[in-house]
Coordinates of all heavy atoms in Angstrom, one line a residue:
Chain T
P195 N 140.9 106.7 124.2 CA 142.0 106.3 125.1 C 142.5 107.3 126.1 O 142.2 108.5 125.8 CB 143.2 106.0 124.0 CG 142.8 106.8 122.8 CD 141.3 106.8 122.8
V212 N 151.8 102.6 115.8 CA 150.5 101.9 115.5 C 149.4 102.8 115.3 O 148.3 102.3 114.6 CB 150.3 100.9 116.8 CG1 149.3 101.6 117.7 CG2 149.9 99.6 116.4
C213 N 149.4 104.0 115.6 CA 148.3 104.8 115.4 C 148.3 105.3 114.1 O 149.2 105.9 113.6 CB 148.4 106.1 116.4 SG 147.0 107.2 116.2
P214 N 147.2 105.0 113.4 CA 147.1 105.4 111.9 C 147.0 106.9 111.6 O 147.2 107.4 110.5 CB 145.9 104.6 111.4 CG 145.0 104.5 112.6 CD 145.9 104.4 113.8
T215 N 146.5 107.7 112.6 CA 146.3 109.1 112.3 C 147.3 110.0 113.0 O 147.2 111.3 113.0 CB 144.9 109.6 112.7 OG1 144.7 109.2 114.1 CG2 143.9 108.9 111.9
A217 N 147.8 110.3 116.2 CA 147.1 111.0 117.4 C 148.0 110.8 118.6 O 147.8 111.5 119.6 CB 145.8 110.4 117.5
I218 N 148.9 109.9 118.6 CA 149.7 109.6 119.8 C 151.1 110.3 119.7 O 151.8 110.1 118.7 CB 149.8 108.2 120.0 CG1 148.5 107.4 120.2 CG2 150.7 107.8 121.4 CD1 148.4 106.0 120.3
V227 N 147.6 111.5 123.9 CA 146.7 111.3 122.8 C 146.1 112.6 122.5 O 145.5 113.3 123.3 CB 145.7 110.3 123.1 CG1 144.7 110.1 121.9 CG2 146.3 108.9 123.5
R231 N 142.7 114.1 116.8 CA 143.0 113.2 115.7 C 142.6 111.7 115.9 O 142.5 110.9 115.0 CB 144.5 113.1 115.6 CG 145.1 114.5 115.1 CD 146.6 114.4 114.8 NE 147.0 115.6 114.2 CZ 147.0 115.8 113.0 NH1 146.6 114.7 112.2 NH2 147.4 116.9 112.4
C232 N 142.2 111.4 117.1 CA 141.9 110.0 117.4 C 140.5 109.7 116.7 O 139.6 110.4 116.8 CB 141.7 109.7 118.9 SG 141.2 108.1 119.2
I233 N 140.6 108.4 116.1 CA 139.3 108.1 115.4 C 138.8 106.8 115.9 O 138.1 106.1 115.2 CB 139.7 107.9 113.8 CG1 140.9 106.9 113.7 CG2 140.0 109.2 113.2 CD1 141.1 106.4 112.3
H234 N 139.0 106.5 117.1 CA 138.5 105.2 117.8 C 138.8 104.0 116.9 O 137.9 103.2 116.6 CB 137.0 105.2 118.0 CG 136.4 106.5 118.5 ND1 136.5 106.9 119.8 CD2 135.6 107.3 117.8 CE1 135.7 108.0 119.9 NE2 135.3 108.3 118.7
C235 N 140.0 103.8 116.5 CA 140.3 102.7 115.7 C 140.7 101.5 116.6 O 140.9 100.4 116.0 CB 141.3 103.0 114.7 SG 143.0 103.0 115.4
F236 N 140.8 101.8 117.8 CA 141.1 100.7 118.8 C 142.5 100.0 118.6 O 142.8 99.0 119.3 CB 140.0 99.7 118.9 CG 138.7 100.2 119.1 CD1 137.7 100.3 118.1 CD2 138.2 100.6 120.4 CE1 136.5 100.9 118.3 CE2 137.0 101.1 120.6 CZ 136.1 101.3 119.5
R237 N 143.3 100.4 117.7 CA 144.6 99.7 117.5 C 145.5 99.9 118.8 O 146.2 99.0 119.1 CB 145.3 100.4 116.2 CG 144.7 99.7 115.0 CD 145.1 100.5 113.7 NE 144.6 100.0 112.5 CZ 143.4 99.9 112.1 NH1 142.4 100.3 112.9 NH2 143.1 99.4 110.9
C238 N 145.4 101.1 119.3 CA 146.3 101.3 120.5 C 145.9 100.5 121.7 O 146.6 100.4 122.8 CB 146.5 102.8 120.9 SG 144.9 103.5 121.2
W248 N 141.4 102.6 128.2 CA 140.3 103.2 127.5 C 139.4 103.9 128.4 O 139.1 103.4 129.5 CB 139.5 102.0 126.8 CG 138.8 102.6 125.5 CD1 137.4 102.9 125.5 CD2 139.3 102.9 124.3 NE1 137.1 103.4 124.3 CE2 138.3 103.3 123.5 CE3 140.6 102.8 123.8 CZ2 138.5 103.7 122.2 CZ3 140.8 103.2 122.4 CH2 139.7 103.7 121.6
Ligands
LIG254 S1 142.2 104.7 118.9 FE1 143.3 104.7 117.0 S2 143.4 106.7 116.4 FE2 142.8 106.8 118.5 S3 144.7 107.0 119.5 FE3 144.3 104.9 119.5 S4 145.4 104.2 117.7 FE4 145.2 106.4 117.5

Side-chain angles (χ1 to χ4, degrees):
Chain T
V212 99
C213 177
T215 55
I218 302 176
V227 178
R231 292 185 169 273
C232 175
I233 54 166
H234 322 279
C235 73
F236 304 105
R237 281 166 176 64
C238 59
W248 206 258

